[in-house]
Amino acid sequence: METKIAIIGAGNLGLSLVTGLVDSGKYQPADFILSRRDISKLEEYKSKGFAITKDNCEAVRMASIVIVAVLPQKMDVVLTEIAEDLTANQLIISLVSGVKVKVIQSIIGDDKPVVRAMPNTAIAIRESMTCIASSENWKSRIPEVKEMFELVGENVVINEEQMTSATALCACGIAFFLRAIRAASQGGNEIDFHANEALQMAAQTAKGAASLLIANNSHPEDEIDKVTSPKGCTIAGLNEMEHNGFSSSFIKGITVSAKQAKGLYTED
Ligand SMILES: NC(=O)c1ccc[n+]([C@@H]2O[C@H](COP(=O)([O-])OP(=O)(O)OC[C@H]3O[C@@H](n4cnc5c(N)ncnc54)[C@H](OP(=O)(O)O)[C@@H]3O)[C@@H](O)[C@H]2O)c1
C-alpha cells in the first residue's frame, strides 16, 4: 500500500508537522489527507495539493498511517468515531497530550499499533524536539516513528510515564523560551533599541546560546564562565536576575506545567 498519512485534527500542530515533513523533501503534499471540522481553514493547504476532508473516517480509510492531533478533550469522541475504520495494518501516531496508549487501545482495540509522539511547533521549520514513547507491546513500531520525526528535528525515545514531563519541558517549553526572549527584547528596548531591533538581537542571541551548547556539547555554566569577567557587567546582570528568582521561577513554571499536563485529558 502506498504510504498515505491522515492527520485527524489538522490544527496548529498537525499543520506544522505536515509543513516540516514536506519541507524535508521526503514527502509530498499529495501524501497527506488533512481532516478537521472546519475545512474552510484548510483552503490554503488544498491549493498546495493536500487532500482535505471533514470526514475523519474517510481520511482513515485512505491512510496507512493515522496521526491524531486533536485536543485531549476531543480524543474520546474522535477515537470512537474512527475505531471501526482503523485496521491492524495501520500505524496510529498520537500527538495528543496526556492520553496513554492503554486508554487509546481501550477505545480502538489492542490489535492496532499505537505510538505516541510529543513534538513542538518548531517542527514546522524542522527544529522540533520530539519525545517518542509507546507501551511495551508496541515498542517494535517506535523506529518507524523515529525515522519520520528525524526529518523534522531531534528526537528521543522515553518511557511512556515520562510523556507528561516531556510535554512541559519540550512542547510548552517553546513558549517559555519565547517569553524569555521577549523579556530580553523588552530590556533591550528600555536601554537603547527600537522594539523590532531589540527583538531581532535578542532572538539571534538566544539562538547563539542554544547553538553553543549543542555544538560544544557543553554545560550552560561552562559557557557562562567564559563571559563573566570579575566585577564585570555580565555577572552583575546574572546575579541580579537570580536575586529576583530567574532560575527558580523557570523551574517552578515547568513543574506546574507538568502537573497541569497530567490533567489535560480528564478535565473538560
Ligand atoms: N501546539 C503544540 O505546541 C503542541 C505540542 C505537542 C502536542 N500538542 C498536542 O497536539 C494536539 C493539538 O494541539 P494544537 O495546538 O494543534 O490544537 P488545535 O490548533 O486546536 O488543533 C486541534 C484541531 O482539531 C480539530 N478538531 C476538533 N474536533 C475535531 C473532530 N471531531 N474531528 C477532527 N478534527 C477536530 C480542530 O479543528 P476544527 O475545530 O475545525 O475541527 C483543530 O484544528 C493537542 O492534543 C495538544 O496537546 C500540541
Side-chain angles (χ1 to χ4, degrees):
M1 186 182 184
E2 197 188 343
T3 305
K4 290 263 183 198
I5 303 174
I7 309 287
I8 307 297
N12 287 323
L13 186 64
L15 295 175
S16 297
L17 170 63
V18 297
T19 302
L21 288 174
V22 169
D23 277 357
S24 77
K26 172 122 196 257
Y27 294 92
Q28 308 298 317
D31 295 330
F32 297 95
I33 309 118
L34 309 178
S35 177
R36 64 183 290 172
R37 292 165 306 174
D38 182 359
I39 50 169
S40 68
K41 301 219 170 87
L42 296 174
E43 280 305 321
E44 183 197 331
Y45 288 82
K46 187 181 174 192
S47 66
K48 289 181 185 161
F50 292 88
I52 66 167
T53 179
K54 54 163 74 169
D55 183 341
N56 291 332
C57 296
E58 179 193 35
V60 165
R61 285 193 297 270
M62 288 166 72
S64 50
I65 297 176
V66 176
I67 299 182
V68 186
V70 294
L71 292 176
Q73 304 90 312
K74 301 276 158 79
M75 194 57 166
D76 283 6
V77 81
V78 167
L79 289 179
T80 306
E81 184 189 350
I82 63 175
E84 289 231 329
D85 288 289
L86 287 168
T87 72
N89 294 327
Q90 292 168 310
L91 173 63
I92 296 116
I93 304 175
S94 169
L95 310 183
V96 180
S97 315
V99 188
K100 295 195 173 101
V101 170
K102 71 170 188 218
V103 171
I104 297 173
Q105 298 204 308
S106 71
I107 303 174
I108 64 168
D110 56 13
D111 58 330
K112 290 139 199 148
V114 178
V115 174
R116 292 174 63 192
M118 183 56 55
N120 60 39
T121 48
I123 206 160
I125 55 159
R126 304 177 60 210
E127 287 285 358
S128 177
M129 179 69 240
T130 303
C131 299
I132 298 170
S134 190
S135 55
E136 203 51 47
N137 48 337
W138 293 117
K139 283 209 163 130
S140 59
R141 304 303 297 266
I142 286 179
E144 291 159 67
V145 179
K146 231 175 131 17
E147 203 179 313
M148 178 187 289
F149 283 89
E150 263 158 19
L151 298 170
V152 284
E154 298 291 321
N155 63 55
V156 64
V157 176
I158 60 174
N159 294 325
E160 200 189 0
E161 305 79 67
Q162 295 175 302
M163 265 317 217
T164 46
S165 305
T167 306
L169 187 58
C170 305
C172 311
I174 280 271
F176 304 151
F177 287 106
L178 288 171
R179 182 57 66 80
I181 292 169
R182 190 189 81 163
S185 77
Q186 285 173 315
N189 191 199
E190 186 170 333
I191 55 178
D192 210 358
F193 302 102
H194 288 293
N196 56 348
E197 246 181 339
L199 182 57
Q200 184 195 2
M201 291 156 88
Q204 177 56 34
T205 304
K207 185 179 171 194
S211 302
L212 272 177
L213 294 182
I214 293 164
N216 297 343
N217 195 19
S218 54
H219 189 278
E221 289 308 314
D222 297 334
E223 302 298 341
I224 288 173
D225 285 349
K226 292 178 195 163
V227 290
T228 49
S229 40
K231 291 188 174 175
C233 51
T234 310
I235 192 64
L238 262 183
N239 284 346
E240 181 66 19
M241 288 178 195
E242 291 301 346
H243 291 318
N244 285 290
F246 178 78
S247 294
S248 173
S249 72
F250 228 91
I251 294 163
K252 280 186 181 169
I254 289 172
T255 312
V256 166
S257 182
K259 277 199 193 114
Q260 189 78 5
K262 246 191 196 123
L264 284 177
Y265 174 59
T266 43
E267 281 168 14
D268 287 332

